[in-house]
Amino acid sequence: MGTTHLKMLKLLFLLTITEICAAQNDIALSVFTVTSKSLTVQWSGLTGASSYKITATPKYSSKRPVFAQFGGNTVIGSVNSLSPNTVYTVQLEAIDNALNVLSSAKTEETTAPDIPIVVEAYSKISDSMTVVFSEVSGATSYILRAETDDFFSETPVSSSPGTILQLQPFTDYKLSVMSVNSGGRSQPSEIVIAKTVVVAPQLNTTSPANDSIRVTWLPVDNAVLYTLCIIQEGSSTRVKVNTTDITLTFNNLAAGVTYCIQGTAWDSQGRTGDHVNVCQITRPPSPDVIDVQVSQGRSLGITVYWVAVPGANNYIAWTSNGRNCTTTDNNYCYIIPVECGQNRSVSVTAYNAAGPSSPSQPAHYITYPCLPDNIWVEEPNPGNCSLRWDNVQLVDYYMAFIKRDDGTERSCNTTETTCSFFCACGYTYLVTVFPYNQAGSSPYANVRNYTTIPCCPQDVTIQLISTDTLEVMWSPVKGAEVYETTAAQTNNVIHCNDTSPVCALSDLRCNTAYSVMVTPCSELRGCNRSCPSNTRETAPCTPEILNITQTNSSTYSVFITNPNIPNTNYTITAIGRYDTHTCQTRNNSCELTQLPCGSTYEVMTVATTAAGRSLPGYEKVLETGPCCPSFVKVTQVTQALTNVTWSPGNGARSYITSLSSSHGYAKCHTLDTHCLMGCITCSTNYSIKLEAISSTGHKSECKYFGFSSSPCCPVGIKLYRRANNSLRVIWHSLAPQINNHTVEINGTVANYTCTTDDSRKYCDFQEGACGEVFTVVVAPIQQNGIKVSFCQPRTYSVPCPGGSVSSGILISRRR
């Protein structure tokens, strides 16, 4: 129970199986760890215990129990000298100073199996070690332990032998084995020391030639000898070589064949290390070229044929000037394009993963000659032409072809570099030259054009298609590729170049005479500038409107610019929605007459001469004044309020209506054709004035007959009951003029009416019932005999005789 034993118990604490048993008097017992011959338990201390006794009794055998006793301050202890792989019943007793048992607890545990023995340890692979050991009874598995000063590993295995992995090559390891069952693991066996083998050399292979393979590798630590074994794929013949060098070449091998090489390193103890295998193919043999064919077509090329060789993955055919083609599946390939006029050779090289073979013997070929760099036509005298070209290499003879644009064709076969022919003016000739040799000729040739000087067109027509543009038309002429048309005037020249027999000369000055000339041209021969010219005048210049003034209600004067020569007619047109007006002049002004009111016109001017008609000048808008309404009607609504209505005025959008008198005026501005106007004085003569206003603010003042406002309603109206039971109504008139009045009295029993002239301001009614309520209306009568309808009624109550008052009592001024 010393310090060393406690340290061992702490180390094994994580690997134990703990079983806790309930004990009498609250003492707890559990197994801390087991080995093959010992069992360690721990317990909870008990107050009053002076010592503890542990007894281990075999459960299934008659072997004697084993016990151990510990002091009262101890809570962990071991029982030794046990049997391996045996089930024990473990009892703990707490004892006081009087040797009385205060409490006890029991548990069961199995000891670990017996310690196995390492029989043999060996290494065949540099990163592993195989351990052979004796198996023991009761073990369910085993643990192999490998140790160095700085390395420790445990590997579980099920049986012998077992292998430890992830080791270092050529390293000494301390090896031991432990048996395991449900109770735990045994103590390690006696240590055996063994060393791992060396690693295999890392082989690098190349095939420097088609009959050899060269092998190289880096030195292997702790290796003293290397063994290389080579075998041809598909063969059972092996060649083995031992060497202390780090390079080796195998010679006299078959070309294009795969060989596999095994490499092994030996250590100083004569042990072989890891094995490594690599496979290497030798370079293929050289192929033999059997045919080279020159292919005809738009792209010149050659087809190369050869005999296939074993071990080749692909082939490359190279010409002597660096052209090549590649194939993997065939024994031929195409080189396109190749140059014309060449005397070259071609060879073929076979390739595989090892590299290229030696090139084949070169095969020679020749291509058809190149075309001449330059072809041209010379014409020393009109009609006598000579086709010439540069000399070409590898040529046997030339074929020259000359074709005129009307289909006429001729050719010449020559060994020289010239061919003469007749050439007429106004024609285009297409010339070409084909050189020939034993390979044939090019399938195409360069074509050159030669055009003689074109003739002048005879039927030139000139038309003025717009004010500043002349259209010139003519029939095409032979040999003309482009036509240069000019219109000249003093120092100003307008050009037009086109390939068609039509041209438009634009942006010409107006009212100007131009000299027009058509010149046919060809790119090679230039232009024929001997053609005659024609004179044509452009349209007159566009006049502009300077101002428009109104002469009277329907007549307007239009002032214009006069930019043209004399004898130019100017037409001024005013276009309205429903009508059009025109006037003509040769001066700078013109009058447009009979223009209706309320209309809008777009006014423009055009100049006309014998040459044509100018563009219209910019338009100016002429708006005549809006029309006055045909009638105005005034209706009095109340004594101070009138309703003015009028008919619509053409061209008018709004109206300003005013009523004026010596007492003042009323005014309204409206978009409608009626207006309600207040502040009217009764019995007053008013003048009527109306302004019609267009949408642009153009005004027309309109005057109409005046009107008189209605007579004023009387004031101071009173109703009296007289002594004779009659009624009297009195009033006071405000109207300055003389007006008759009418009086209406309406009661519940009877109604009364009375009419008086202006000299009398009262009216009597004889049969007035007392206690009656009367409605009284006093209104003036207008000159036309119509009563004013808007005077307000008044309501009175008339008392019976004996009352305190004699006049009626005013109840209400309105109904």
Side-chain angles (χ1 to χ4, degrees):
M1 296 297 294
T3 303
T4 303
H5 187 64
L6 289 176
K7 289 183 178 179
M8 180 190 71
L9 294 179
K10 292 180 181 180
L11 178 64
L12 297 176
F13 179 77
L14 296 176
L15 302 175
T16 60
I17 300 173
T18 303
E19 181 178 352
I20 301 175
C21 298
Q24 301 175 5
N25 298 328
D26 297 325
I27 190 168
L29 175 67
S30 62
V31 177
F32 185 76
T33 185
V34 297
T35 65
S36 301
K37 296 182 179 182
S38 65
L39 190 149
T40 303
V41 294
Q42 60 183 4
W43 58 90
S44 58
L46 185 65
T47 303
S50 61
S51 64
Y52 295 95
K53 180 180 180 181
I54 300 175
T55 304
T57 305
K59 185 175 182 180
Y60 302 110
S61 70
S62 58
K63 294 181 179 180
R64 290 191 309 169
V66 179
F67 68 89
Q69 194 161 352
F70 303 93
N73 295 326
T74 305
V75 294
I76 187 171
S78 296
V79 181
N80 298 316
S81 301
L82 303 181
S83 299
N85 196 34
T86 301
V87 179
Y88 282 90
T89 299
V90 181
Q91 178 177 337
L92 173 69
E93 294 175 319
I95 302 171
D96 60 9
N97 291 328
L99 301 180
N100 295 319
V101 176
L102 301 178
S103 179
S104 65
K106 287 184 179 182
T107 186
E108 288 186 359
E109 187 58 82
T110 303
T111 55
D114 204 354
I115 301 173
I117 299 174
V118 176
V119 178
E120 182 185 8
Y122 58 87
S123 171
K124 290 187 176 182
I125 302 176
S126 61
D127 64 347
S128 68
M129 186 76 71
T130 299
V131 180
V132 181
F133 53 89
S134 61
E135 297 183 358
V136 296
S137 175
T140 57
S141 64
Y142 300 90
I143 296 176
L144 302 180
R145 179 179 292 177
E147 299 178 71
T148 64
D149 292 340
D150 54 1
F151 177 80
F152 177 88
S153 75
E154 290 185 344
T155 304
V157 297
S158 60
S159 61
S160 175
T163 301
I164 304 173
L165 303 177
Q166 299 180 352
L167 302 180
Q168 296 298 316
F170 203 73
T171 302
D172 288 323
Y173 286 93
K174 298 176 183 179
L175 306 174
S176 60
V177 61
M178 292 174 286
S179 59
V180 180
N181 66 3
S182 60
R185 60 170 70 179
S186 70
Q187 290 92 340
S189 66
E190 291 187 6
I191 292 176
V192 174
I193 297 176
K195 180 177 292 187
T196 51
V197 296
V198 295
V199 298
Q202 299 301 312
L203 303 182
N204 298 308
T205 59
T206 58
S207 177
N210 59 13
D211 64 345
S212 64
I213 293 176
R214 185 170 183 267
V215 187
T216 62
W217 61 93
L218 294 175
V220 176
D221 292 340
N222 304 300
V224 297
L225 183 68
Y226 303 96
T227 298
L228 274 64
C229 179
I230 186 169
I231 182 172
Q232 181 178 330
E233 191 176 58
S235 172
S236 60
T237 304
R238 301 171 179 267
V239 176
K240 182 181 293 187
V241 179
N242 292 328
T243 181
T244 57
D245 205 348
I246 56 173
T247 179
L248 182 65
T249 300
F250 294 96
N251 296 309
N252 301 319
L253 304 179
V257 175
T258 299
Y259 290 86
C260 290
I261 303 168
Q262 182 183 79
T264 305
W266 297 73
D267 60 18
S268 57
Q269 300 175 7
R271 299 182 305 162
T272 59
D274 296 341
H275 299 278
V276 65
N277 291 282
V278 296
C279 293
Q280 173 70 50
I281 191 172
T282 54
R283 296 194 183 194
S286 298
D288 293 328
V289 177
I290 56 177
D291 191 19
V292 179
Q293 295 180 2
V294 179
S295 60
Q296 301 294 328
R298 296 190 62 84
S299 294
L300 178 60
I302 62 171
T303 305
V304 185
Y305 297 87
W306 60 86
V307 178
V309 295
N313 294 334
N314 61 294
Y315 301 88
I316 299 180
W318 289 90
T319 64
S320 54
N321 63 336
R323 300 279 184 175
N324 68 84
C325 62
T326 302
T327 182
T328 58
D329 301 325
N330 304 312
N331 63 338
Y332 61 90
C333 68
Y334 306 97
I335 297 179
I336 298 175
V338 296
E339 293 82 2
C340 58
Q342 299 292 316
N343 187 0
R344 301 290 184 182
S345 64
V346 62
S347 60
V348 179
T349 301
Y351 285 81
N352 63 13
S357 69
S358 299
S360 67
Q361 292 296 321
H364 294 275
Y365 65 93
I366 188 172
T367 61
Y368 56 70
C370 298
L371 297 174
D373 291 335
N374 296 303
I375 302 175
W376 69 96
V377 175
E378 294 179 353
E379 189 178 4
N381 298 309
N384 295 324
C385 293
S386 178
L387 173 61
R388 296 181 177 276
W389 58 89
D390 291 339
N391 189 37
V392 179
Q393 299 296 321
L394 298 176
V395 173
D396 295 335
Y397 62 94
Y398 299 94
M399 284 293 296
F401 296 91
I402 303 163
K403 186 174 183 178
R404 201 166 68 181
D405 57 9
D406 62 353
T408 304
E409 185 176 0
R410 64 155 296 183
S411 63
C412 61
N413 185 336
T414 180
T415 58
E416 303 295 331
T417 59
T418 182
C419 179
S420 299
F421 65 97
F422 171 75
C423 53
C425 67
Y427 284 94
T428 297
Y429 293 86
L430 304 178
V431 295
T432 185
V433 176
F434 289 89
Y436 282 80
N437 65 10
Q438 62 185 13
S441 70
S442 171
Y444 64 95
N446 297 322
V447 178
R448 296 289 185 268
N449 293 341
Y450 179 77
T451 303
T452 55
I453 191 168
C455 297
C456 293
Q458 300 299 318
D459 52 349
V460 178
T461 60
I462 305 173
Q463 290 183 340
L464 181 67
I465 60 173
S466 68
T467 56
D468 64 347
T469 303
L470 294 175
E471 183 184 53
V472 186
M473 302 179 67
W474 61 92
S475 298
V477 295
K478 285 288 184 182
E481 297 173 350
V482 66
Y483 300 92
E484 180 183 292
T485 308
T486 57
Q489 188 270 327
T490 314
N491 295 326
N492 183 26
V493 180
I494 304 299
H495 293 269
C496 170
N497 293 337
D498 204 333
T499 57
S500 300
V502 61
C503 186
L505 296 168
S506 303
D507 198 25
L508 304 178
R509 292 180 180 175
C510 58
N511 197 37
T512 304
Y514 282 89
S515 176
V516 180
M517 177 181 294
V518 179
T519 303
C521 302
S522 66
E523 183 178 357
L524 297 178
R525 296 305 305 275
C527 300
N528 187 349
R529 302 195 178 278
S530 63
C531 301
S533 62
N534 299 274
T535 301
R536 188 68 164 85
E537 185 178 336
T538 56
C541 299
T542 301
E544 299 295 341
I545 297 175
L546 297 175
N547 193 17
I548 301 177
T549 60
Q550 186 173 3
T551 303
N552 56 45
S553 60
S554 63
T555 302
Y556 291 83
S557 295
V558 183
F559 296 91
I560 62 172
T561 60
N562 188 355
N564 298 297
I565 60 175
N567 300 323
T568 299
N569 292 323
Y570 297 95
T571 300
I572 299 170
T573 304
I575 301 175
R577 184 176 181 181
Y578 304 106
D579 57 351
T580 301
H581 298 264
T582 61
C583 65
Q584 293 183 342
T585 183
R586 290 193 174 186
N587 299 315
N588 60 354
S589 66
C590 181
E591 285 191 344
L592 295 171
T593 62
Q594 298 180 354
L595 300 183
C597 63
S599 300
T600 301
Y601 294 91
E602 294 177 349
V603 183
M604 64 180 180
T605 178
V606 175
T608 306
T609 64
R613 183 183 175 92
S614 73
L615 289 173
Y618 294 117
E619 295 178 351
K620 286 187 178 293
V621 177
L622 170 61
E623 179 184 345
T624 60
C627 297
C628 290
S630 59
F631 71 87
V632 176
K633 181 180 179 181
V634 182
T635 302
Q636 192 140 3
V637 179
T638 67
Q639 181 170 291
L641 186 66
T642 60
N643 185 23
V644 184
T645 61
W646 56 90
S647 61
N650 187 32
R653 188 177 71 173
S654 64
Y655 305 88
I656 298 177
T657 306
S658 60
L659 302 178
S660 302
S661 72
S662 59
H663 296 290
Y665 70 94
K667 188 177 185 180
C668 75
H669 190 177
T670 179
L671 296 173
D672 301 319
T673 56
H674 57 85
C675 186
L676 198 63
M677 303 176 68
C679 300
I680 301 299
T681 305
C682 58
S683 300
T684 304
N685 292 324
Y686 283 89
S687 61
I688 303 174
K689 181 180 178 182
L690 185 144
E691 285 183 322
I693 306 172
S694 70
S695 59
T696 60
H698 203 126
K699 296 181 180 179
S700 292
E701 293 187 359
C702 310
K703 293 184 179 181
Y704 300 91
F705 291 110
F707 90 101
S708 296
S709 61
S710 63
C712 299
C713 292
V715 297
I717 300 172
K718 295 182 180 180
L719 175 64
Y720 291 93
R721 175 181 168 278
R722 305 179 69 193
N724 57 359
N725 291 330
S726 64
L727 300 176
R728 170 172 287 187
V729 178
I730 64 172
W731 64 86
H732 175 67
S733 177
L734 297 178
Q737 69 268 28
I738 297 174
N739 293 99
N740 295 334
H741 289 79
T742 179
V743 180
E744 294 179 354
I745 298 178
N746 297 318
T748 58
V749 177
N751 299 326
Y752 306 97
T753 302
C754 171
T755 302
T756 68
D757 57 22
D758 188 60
S759 62
R760 189 158 57 97
K761 300 296 189 291
Y762 65 92
C763 194
D764 294 329
F765 301 92
Q766 293 302 322
E767 299 177 358
C770 68
E772 179 73 84
V773 175
F774 295 97
T775 300
V776 179
V777 178
V778 181
I781 299 174
Q782 301 180 79
Q783 298 298 325
N784 56 9
I786 298 174
K787 180 188 71 172
V788 174
S789 61
F790 46 75
C791 293
Q792 299 295 317
R794 289 170 171 78
T795 303
Y796 295 90
S797 176
V798 179
C800 291
S804 60
V805 293
S806 61
S807 62
I809 299 173
L810 176 62
I811 298 176
S812 174
R813 293 181 181 275
R814 294 182 179 272
R815 295 183 189 275

